[in-house]
Amino acid sequence: MYDTAKIMAGIIIFLSLITFPVWYNVVGGKAAYIPDLKIVTQEKQCVESTGYMRTNHMQLLNEWRNTVVREGNRVYVASNGKKYDMNLSRTCLKCHLNKADFCDKCHNYVEVTPTCFNCHVVPEERNS
Amino acid sequence: MLEKALIGSKKYYGLVILLLIIIGGGFYFYLRQLTYGLGITGMSRDVSWGLYIAQFTFLVGVAASAVMVVLPYYLHNYKAFGRITILGEFLAVACVAMCLTFIIVDLGQPARAFNVLLYPSPSSILFWDMVVLNGYLLLNIVIGWTVLASERKSVPPPTWVKPLIYISIPLAVSIHTVTAFIYAGLPGRGFWLTAIMAPRFLASAFASGPALLILMCFIIRRFTRFDPGKEAMQNLARIVTYAMAVSVFFVLLEIFTVFYSQIPEHMHPFEYLFAGLEGHEKLVPWMWTSAILAIASLILLINPVTRRKEGILAVACVAVFASLWIEKGLGLVITGFIPSSLGRVFEYSPTGPEVIITLGVWAMGFLILTVLYKIAVTVKEEIAA
Amino acid sequence: MKTDRRGFLKIGGIGILGFAARPLMDVLLKGDLVEASPEADALTGKRWAMAVNVNKCKEGCRDCIAACHSVHNVPDLGNPKDEVKWIWTEPYKKVFPEQEQEFSTRGNKPVVVLCNHCDNPPCVRVCPTKATFKRRDGIVMMDYHRCIGCRFCMAACPYGSRSLNWRDPRPFIKKINPDFPTRMRGVVEKCDFCGERIAKGLIPACVEACKEKALVFGNLKDSGAEVREVLRASHTIRRRPELGTGPQIYYLV
């Protein structure tokens, strides 16, 4: 074996760098918390089941977006047969009144920044 | 072979570092553009394409010119170009890389650039431009690299390269034709709406590209032990002469058609370019410089006595390159929007950040060119030694 | 037959290419026109068009412009370089340069201009992502989610109907209408013939706002429509019809 010390040192530096985000959070005490979402619902159920919405809301929103913009069709027929207006501001945010306590909390937790609200108006702004 | 780019003289490192500094400056301002928006440039609602797209258009031409060394060597077995085909191919690689970067830099939403692939639209010329540009880039990287690698081992290049080389020839013509179609296919833009646009592009391409190649040969001969060969350079000079003459001829054809027919929509942009319109004349001094450089270069190039003198040839090549850069890289794109579709003359001039970003992309291209040429020249030096 | 590793890889590679070709062809050959399927209470129409009576248009009045721009959150950037506009006025001689003559008194009369919702729109043809597309009811629509901001459409439109958001438009909107999205920087926008209002059975905001009834909107496929009556009864002209774009804004001059 040549340069064992150098190679080992290199491996250790590499591993510590690549695992940086993990132990940074451990040290900072931010590891493994569960985001606490608040839902101020008026309805009992979302347009689809909670489990489905949790995993697929982004695909559903994409589908709504394409159907409304590109096909001019604004009515969503849910799997239980109920009809909804495909509208982020009016339908979704009617129940999920507080974007900061619902959307943002989870999105911040998983570090995603959806661009929806760059254009679509959120309820706070609607009230003002 | 890549390792050859890492070992070089102080001058080589100096050049690389200088280019990296310019790229850094361009990148800094590009980040500013990303947060502020394209409003950081001088482009406007009326003149909605500017320096970026103009550079792209000009550089597509320089890239296409590789075919001017590849075609005589591979199709006509013209041996003198054998020494410099690699230089032409690597020049094409650097130029197409700049072209693609300029398009990305010009996008309002660069993060969505992949939408062009996700929703392919064959009716859009931009879609086809993306296809041929990427194809041409890939082919030139593969061909250049493979042929150089075989040369280094003193073996003939593998047989599968031959068909790729043959494909690259029409593709070189197509990248410039398709780029011309971006402009020539638009209704209501009188300045661009001309069937001669693609031939004009090709003529100026086959002048500006080989002119740059000659200048590169001079630089390589001066600073390295590799000699591209006097015969090759003189023949390139002949190509530049013919192409430049045809290019000027084509522009004169446009001017005749436009001014003899007296159709206002077609006349106004030319008036804006060479005389100014409604008191707006920012481009006039540029265009006359371009015209004078074109004529001066033709005088020097057509006369065999001056063409054969290398110092004068270098001057003529600089004149050709500068003249065509002004014509394509400034005049052609901007003037398509002046006057606007509603008859308004709204002038364009690039802003500081826009110029620095543009220089950054050019520096990136020259860095790619420097590294590729360093590799190619080192290999050639080794073979000669 | 002897199959060595080389041969196997070759055949495998060609096979994979073959599989890739099929979906590519599917995408390339797929039609891109979408059928608008409005709700039950929506106006049923197949070819929307507008007639503009320039003579009824009152000088200095900006009602249609104000209505459109506030409904659609069109920002007011306050300078001609960055400006965004969906509907605005231009002098007659600039709108119809081919009709100009020196003795006319109407050369400087303001004429309302907007997207022409062409039958054969060049902007749709050139768009590399199908972000601009033509609906079956004739509306040339924009998908702001898909636009990459290449501005090919701005070069292609012979009417100057399109604007790019050169910067973030939000700070420049005086009062945001919560029922219509704003745009983000770097996307192109233009008049959408109030597709969102038509879906609810309403007429376009500019038409509704015009007190002089200078704007008439309707379905050309309906022989009883008011717009058809206007086009039948009077001589109308269109902007640059010689370009073959088939503009659908008709002007009574």
Side-chain angles (χ1 to χ4, degrees):
Chain A
M1 257 315 236
Y2 304 101
D3 294 329
T4 316
K6 282 181 189 165
I7 293 170
M8 288 312 286
I11 289 175
I12 288 167
I13 291 171
F14 173 74
L15 284 178
S16 50
L17 279 179
I18 207 167
T19 53
F20 177 81
V22 176
W23 56 260
Y24 177 80
N25 275 344
V26 170
V27 171
K30 285 203 289 184
Y33 77 95
I34 296 163
D36 172 32
L37 306 185
K38 287 199 181 72
I39 314 169
V40 195
T41 44
Q42 295 165 353
E43 306 265 336
K44 287 213 167 50
Q45 213 216 315
C46 199
V47 293
E48 297 289 351
S49 70
T50 312
Y52 179 86
M53 291 310 288
R54 193 169 289 153
T55 47
N56 294 316
H57 65 281
M58 44 303 225
Q59 283 93 336
L60 185 87
L61 285 171
N62 265 356
E63 198 188 306
W64 279 24
R65 169 184 92 186
N66 285 337
T67 322
V68 171
V69 176
R70 304 194 70 87
E71 288 159 38
N73 178 14
R74 285 162 190 267
V75 183
Y76 177 70
V77 183
S79 48
N80 62 5
K82 267 186 90 174
K83 285 184 180 172
Y84 295 94
D85 180 20
M86 290 192 267
N87 191 321
L88 177 67
S89 299
R90 285 184 161 265
T91 307
C92 305
L93 294 182
K94 193 172 77 186
C95 295
H96 304 290
L97 273 171
N98 201 340
K99 175 175 162 280
D101 274 342
F102 187 74
C103 312
D104 292 353
K105 265 196 181 160
C106 216
H107 290 155
N108 290 342
Y109 178 72
V110 293
E111 275 271 285
V112 292
T113 25
T115 49
C116 311
F117 298 103
N118 287 7
C119 301
H120 292 272
V121 182
V122 294
E124 292 101 78
E125 291 175 41
R126 179 184 285 176
N127 296 336
S128 67
Chain B
M1 291 188 290
L2 262 179
E3 74 281 358
K4 306 213 179 307
L6 298 175
I7 305 149
S9 64
K10 277 221 173 79
K11 274 180 190 156
Y12 170 70
Y13 286 128
L15 178 62
V16 169
I17 288 167
L18 176 73
L19 290 172
L20 282 173
I21 291 170
I22 303 174
I23 295 171
F27 191 71
Y28 169 75
F29 279 100
Y30 182 62
L31 292 179
R32 295 262 304 263
Q33 179 183 303
L34 273 184
T35 46
Y36 183 91
L38 278 171
I40 206 170
T41 69
M43 290 184 274
S44 60
R45 194 183 190 277
D46 279 357
V47 186
S48 48
W49 279 338
L51 205 53
Y52 299 149
I53 290 296
Q55 302 312 297
F56 149 76
T57 308
F58 174 72
L59 287 167
V60 169
V62 182
S65 67
V67 77
M68 282 288 112
V69 285
V70 169
L71 191 146
Y73 178 60
Y74 285 106
L75 285 191
H76 301 291
N77 207 17
Y78 179 62
K79 290 281 190 291
F81 278 175
R83 297 171 70 82
I84 57 166
T85 42
I86 187 74
L87 299 183
E89 282 153 357
F90 281 170
L91 179 62
V93 171
C95 287
V96 178
M98 279 190 262
C99 291
L100 294 169
T101 314
F102 270 119
I103 294 185
I104 298 293
V105 162
D106 187 66
L107 292 182
Q109 283 290 337
R112 297 182 187 162
F114 269 100
N115 278 3
V116 179
L117 297 175
L118 291 175
Y119 311 104
S121 318
S123 68
S124 174
I125 300 296
L126 218 52
F127 168 77
W128 290 109
D129 216 27
M130 184 224 35
V131 171
V132 290
L133 277 174
N134 282 300
Y136 192 63
L137 177 65
L138 200 68
L139 276 187
N140 273 293
I141 293 175
V142 171
I143 294 168
W145 200 260
T146 318
V147 172
L148 189 66
S150 328
E151 221 174 290
R152 188 186 178 201
K153 292 181 210 135
S154 306
V155 292
T159 44
W160 56 262
V161 189
K162 260 290 167 66
L164 293 187
I165 291 168
Y166 293 142
I167 296 170
S168 83
I169 292 171
L171 212 54
V173 178
S174 77
I175 58 168
H176 224 27
T177 308
V178 172
T179 305
F181 284 175
I182 288 181
Y183 303 101
L186 304 180
R189 301 270 175 207
F191 187 58
W192 295 337
L193 192 66
T194 162
I196 210 176
M197 195 59 103
R200 251 181 85 186
F201 271 42
L202 286 166
S204 67
F206 294 153
S208 59
L212 183 61
L213 207 50
I214 292 173
L215 292 172
M216 287 297 154
C217 288
F218 278 127
I219 293 170
I220 287 169
R221 210 176 55 186
R222 175 90 187 271
F223 291 98
T224 74
R225 279 173 286 127
F226 169 61
D227 182 9
K230 198 175 162 65
E231 192 194 337
M233 284 159 72
Q234 277 301 319
N235 270 315
L236 275 179
R238 248 173 240 142
I239 292 172
V240 175
T241 311
Y242 280 114
M244 190 64 184
V246 174
S247 176
V248 170
F249 176 61
F250 281 169
V251 174
L252 293 174
L253 290 184
E254 295 262 33
I255 288 176
F256 167 79
T257 312
V258 162
F259 285 100
Y260 198 78
S261 67
Q262 296 278 309
I263 300 173
E265 193 191 331
H266 293 256
M267 265 193 324
H268 288 328
F270 277 97
E271 281 171 9
Y272 172 72
L273 276 183
F274 290 102
L277 202 63
E278 296 173 17
H280 300 278
E281 44 200 21
K282 257 183 206 156
L283 276 181
V284 175
W286 287 96
M287 289 316 289
W288 283 107
T289 309
S290 168
I292 291 164
L293 284 174
I295 291 168
S297 68
L298 274 182
I299 294 171
L300 296 179
L301 284 169
I302 290 174
N303 184 348
V305 181
T306 46
R307 189 176 64 228
R308 285 197 198 107
K309 289 211 177 74
E310 295 204 323
I312 297 176
L313 175 62
V315 171
C317 286
V318 171
V320 166
F321 194 77
S323 166
L324 292 174
W325 179 78
I326 295 171
E327 196 229 333
K328 289 274 165 337
L330 278 182
L332 184 102
V333 173
I334 298 158
T335 313
F337 298 99
I338 300 172
S340 77
S341 357
L342 279 153
R344 182 159 70 164
V345 180
F346 193 89
E347 280 201 295
Y348 160 87
S349 46
T351 59
E354 194 177 2
V355 172
I356 295 170
I357 292 170
T358 304
L359 286 176
V361 180
W362 273 90
M364 182 214 75
F366 271 95
L367 181 66
I368 295 173
L369 190 68
T370 307
V371 167
L372 288 177
Y373 273 18
K374 173 73 174 61
I375 295 168
V377 167
T378 312
V379 169
K380 299 260 184 191
E381 283 174 343
E382 274 175 14
I383 298 165
Chain C
M1 197 180 89
K2 193 169 146 271
T3 310
D4 56 1
R5 196 177 53 150
R6 231 180 132 83
F8 173 76
L9 286 175
K10 273 184 194 164
I11 293 167
I14 292 166
I16 289 166
L17 271 181
F19 282 116
R22 181 62 206 279
L24 189 68
M25 289 308 283
D26 283 352
V27 172
L28 291 177
L29 297 175
K30 201 165 69 181
D32 52 22
L33 283 178
V34 283
E35 172 92 47
S37 48
E39 293 168 49
D41 60 342
L43 299 175
T44 47
K46 280 297 174 200
R47 210 329 158 191
W48 300 112
M50 190 188 280
V52 179
N53 190 335
V54 176
N55 300 314
K56 279 191 186 172
C57 203
K58 226 172 45 185
E59 208 127 334
C61 170
R62 292 178 53 86
D63 287 353
C64 56
I65 301 168
C68 167
H69 286 187
S70 75
V71 163
H72 296 116
N73 293 324
V74 177
D76 179 10
L77 276 300
N79 68 70
K81 178 181 164 295
D82 294 333
E83 77 183 334
V84 176
K85 48 192 181 185
W86 285 27
I87 177 170
W88 69 104
T89 60
E90 291 279 347
Y92 178 89
K93 63 180 179 211
K94 299 281 186 195
V95 181
F96 301 106
E98 64 276 22
Q99 304 289 338
E100 194 191 18
Q101 47 101 338
E102 59 181 309
F103 304 110
S104 168
T105 51
R106 60 153 60 100
N108 288 317
K109 190 173 172 52
V111 174
V112 171
V113 288
L114 63 156
C115 171
N116 277 289
H117 295 279
C118 303
D119 266 340
N120 181 16
C123 56
V124 170
R125 204 182 310 147
V126 301
C127 180
T129 62
K130 299 195 183 89
T132 294
F133 56 98
K134 195 177 143 218
R135 301 202 317 196
R136 279 282 165 83
D137 59 1
I139 296 183
V140 176
M141 188 59 87
M142 274 219 59
D143 185 346
Y144 304 120
H145 308 99
R146 194 182 283 188
C147 175
I148 60 172
C150 72
R151 312 191 293 297
F152 203 176
C153 54
M154 292 175 78
C157 175
Y159 306 106
S161 298
R162 295 175 155 267
S163 316
L164 181 86
N165 286 283
W166 296 100
R167 46 189 303 193
D168 182 18
R170 275 245 172 138
F172 300 95
I173 305 170
K174 279 185 202 79
K175 192 173 178 306
I176 291 179
N177 169 20
D179 292 327
F180 199 78
T182 65
R183 270 68 63 192
M184 64 194 293
R185 64 170 181 277
V187 300
V188 172
E189 63 179 84
K190 67 167 197 78
C191 157
D192 65 354
F193 245 13
C194 284
E196 80 286 354
R197 288 171 60 93
I198 293 174
K200 289 186 205 150
L202 300 167
I203 56 169
C206 56
V207 180
E208 193 181 78
C210 182
K211 290 188 209 74
E212 320 297 326
K213 301 269 174 270
L215 306 177
V216 177
F217 176 84
N219 177 13
L220 285 186
K221 294 272 169 72
D222 170 10
S223 58
E226 190 190 352
V227 67
R228 275 282 293 269
E229 181 51 38
V230 173
L231 298 191
R232 188 163 42 229
S234 343
H235 173 67
T236 54
I237 58 173
R238 291 183 284 173
R239 292 175 67 192
R240 308 212 62 186
E242 78 278 8
L243 296 177
T245 50
Q248 294 304 310
I249 309 293
Y250 297 80
Y251 291 91
L252 265 89
V253 294

